[in-house]
C-alpha cells in the first residue's frame, strides 16, 4: 500500500475516539499490519514475525503496547488479534474501492 493511502487511513483513525490518544507511529504500524494481514488466511491476526517485518523491533513493540492498551489489539499466542474489525473489513475491500475511499477521506480532512 502506498504511503499516501496509509497516511490517509492514519488521519482517519486519529479522528476516532478510541484511537485519538495513540501516537502517529502506533497508528501507522496498525494500518500497515492490517494491510499485511488482509492478504492472509487470518486477516484479523498479526504474527510476531510479520510485525517485525513491518518495522524495527523497538518501534513495533511500543506500537503494539499502545494498541493493546486502548483495546485495538489483543495479545495472542505467536502474535496479536486485531480488534479493529472496521479497519480490517475496509482494507479487505477491492483495491479500487479502497483507494477511492482513502482519497476521498484524505481530501475531506
Amino acid at each position: 500500500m502506498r504511503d499516501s493511502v496509509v497516511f490517509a487511513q492514519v488521519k482517519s483513525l486519529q479522528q476516532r475516539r478510541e484511537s485519538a490518544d495513540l501516537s502517529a507511529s502506533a497508528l501507522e504500524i496498525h494500518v500497515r499490519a492490517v494491510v499485511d494481514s488482509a492478504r492472509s488466511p487470518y486477516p484479523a491476526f498479526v504474527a510476531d514475525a510479520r510485525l517485525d517485518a513491518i518495522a524495527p523491533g523497538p518501534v513495533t513493540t511500543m506500537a503494539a503496547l499502545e494498541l493493546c492498551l486502548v483495546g485495538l489489539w489483543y495479545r495472542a499466542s505467536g502474535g496479536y488479534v486485531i480488534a479493529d474489525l472496521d479497519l480490517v473489513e475496509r482494507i479487505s475491500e477491492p483495491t479500487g474501492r479502497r483507494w477511492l475511499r482513502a482519497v476521498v477521506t484524505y481530501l475531506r480532512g
Side-chain angles (χ1 to χ4, degrees), residues 24-59:
S25 63
L27 287 172
E28 181 181 352
I29 296 297
H30 177 55
V31 171
R32 291 185 187 280
V34 170
V35 168
D36 186 66
S37 68
R39 296 179 294 240
S40 75
Y42 306 104
F45 180 77
V46 180
D48 289 331
R50 293 301 310 150
L51 188 57
D52 288 341
I54 292 171
V59 174

Side-chain angles (χ1 to χ4, degrees), residues 10-21:
V10 168
K11 187 173 182 177
S12 173
L13 288 171
Q14 286 172 329
Q15 297 171 2
R16 289 173 39 188
R17 186 174 48 93
E18 67 271 9
S19 58
D21 295 331

Side-chain angles (χ1 to χ4, degrees), residues 62-85:
M62 291 306 297
L65 177 64
E66 284 186 57
L67 292 162
C68 286
L69 286 173
V70 299
L72 289 177
W73 287 15
Y74 292 97
R75 183 70 184 149
S77 179
Y80 296 89
V81 174
I82 302 169
D84 187 0
L85 297 179

